[in-house]
Amino acid sequence: MNKGLLFVLSGPSGVGKGTVCKALLKKMPDLIYSVSATTRQPRIGETDGVNYFFKSREQFMQMIEEDQLLEYAEYVGNYYGTPRDFVERTLEEGRDIILEIEVQGALKVKEKFPDGIFIFLLPPSLDELKDRIRGRGTENDHVIDHRMNVAVEEIALMANYDYAVVNDEIDLACERIESIVIAEHCKIEPTE
Ligand code: 5GP
């Protein structure tokens, strides 16, 4: 049986990774979503085990110590990480999995899974990105500025990715990613 493919959807905070990923999973029900662990407080409407596994700092540190995370990153004062077992099991079962993570973590995944497919989601412009972070209404000005600075640094790392997708409209961005998934399944593996 062929192994599944690992897709990593990354890009600056506020670009709409979460929204695009949600829409994509609706269109591609065979694609499995990797639920991350985080020390961030749940936002209104978020559910433990669905959006994230919400952990205390101590619990998160223990996960790191026990090597339970494929990657983790500290992002704007909180920790975020990808549980390793679930990703490995899903791929072994021949199913595709998608990770929706920030850029530092994506680059760490690339070291461990060089065959992964790395997709960078871009905002149509930086002004648009700031409006989106602000529009979410969950962050104060200090956090917004911090996230914008991080975003500019992150965009510079796009060269490490396989694909760049502009999130101008959710449906269009989804279609582009869907095309990437289909194309990757049609790829001929090089023979050694
Ligand atoms: P938020 O707090 O807005 O849910 O997420 C903040 C950032 O953390 C987003 O860019 C999100 O993609 C990223 N993130 C979510 N889960 C993970 C993870 O498991 N690992 C890493 N490295 N980043 C993550």
Side-chain angles (χ1 to χ4, degrees):
M1 187 175 67
N2 285 336
K3 276 191 168 187
L5 299 179
L6 173 81
F7 292 92
V8 177
L9 181 64
S10 192
S13 166
V15 75
K17 293 189 294 290
T19 313
V20 168
C21 198
K22 219 182 203 175
L24 187 72
L25 292 167
K26 258 196 195 150
K27 286 179 89 177
M28 306 193 83
D30 291 340
L31 194 56
I32 309 291
Y33 178 67
S34 159
V35 179
S36 297
T38 185
T39 59
R40 166 166 84 54
Q41 290 297 311
R43 294 190 185 121
I44 291 166
E46 285 184 334
T47 308
D48 188 41
V50 175
N51 305 94
Y52 283 104
F53 295 107
F54 294 101
K55 303 284 179 192
S56 66
R57 238 175 146 84
E58 293 68 37
Q59 288 170 323
F60 199 95
M61 290 306 145
Q62 193 172 348
M63 291 179 88
I64 297 174
E65 242 166 60
E66 292 174 358
D67 201 23
Q68 290 182 35
L69 299 174
L70 185 61
E71 61 73 37
Y72 67 92
E74 192 176 359
Y75 180 86
V76 198
N78 288 300
Y79 284 99
Y80 296 84
T82 305
R84 173 199 302 281
D85 262 15
F86 184 72
V87 172
E88 290 179 349
R89 247 186 302 125
T90 304
L91 294 173
E92 286 297 333
E93 287 166 5
R95 293 185 294 165
D96 294 349
I97 191 160
I98 188 159
L99 275 53
E100 184 247 284
I101 62 178
E102 55 69 62
V103 176
Q104 305 166 51
L107 297 181
K108 284 189 220 151
V109 174
K110 196 174 175 184
E111 284 169 20
K112 292 185 183 162
F113 286 90
D115 294 340
I117 298 120
F118 294 80
I119 304 170
F120 197 92
L121 198 63
L122 275 170
S125 70
L126 282 180
D127 281 346
E128 174 83 26
L129 183 66
K130 193 163 188 173
D131 285 349
R132 287 185 195 177
I133 296 178
R134 197 180 276 139
R136 195 154 64 183
T138 51
E139 262 75 48
N140 63 36
D141 279 356
H142 177 70
V143 174
I144 291 172
D145 284 348
H146 193 155
R147 286 192 172 211
M148 282 303 294
N149 290 338
V150 174
V152 171
E153 285 168 17
E154 286 173 336
I155 290 170
L157 295 169
M158 195 173 70
N160 297 290
Y161 286 70
D162 300 303
Y163 296 95
V165 169
V166 176
N167 184 21
D168 41 6
E169 271 182 49
I170 292 161
D171 283 352
L172 287 177
C174 269
E175 256 173 46
R176 294 173 188 130
I177 299 170
E178 200 173 3
S179 308
I180 294 167
V181 174
I182 295 167
E184 287 292 332
H185 274 282
C186 297
K187 216 170 191 174
I188 296 168
E189 294 298 329
T191 48
E192 256 123 273

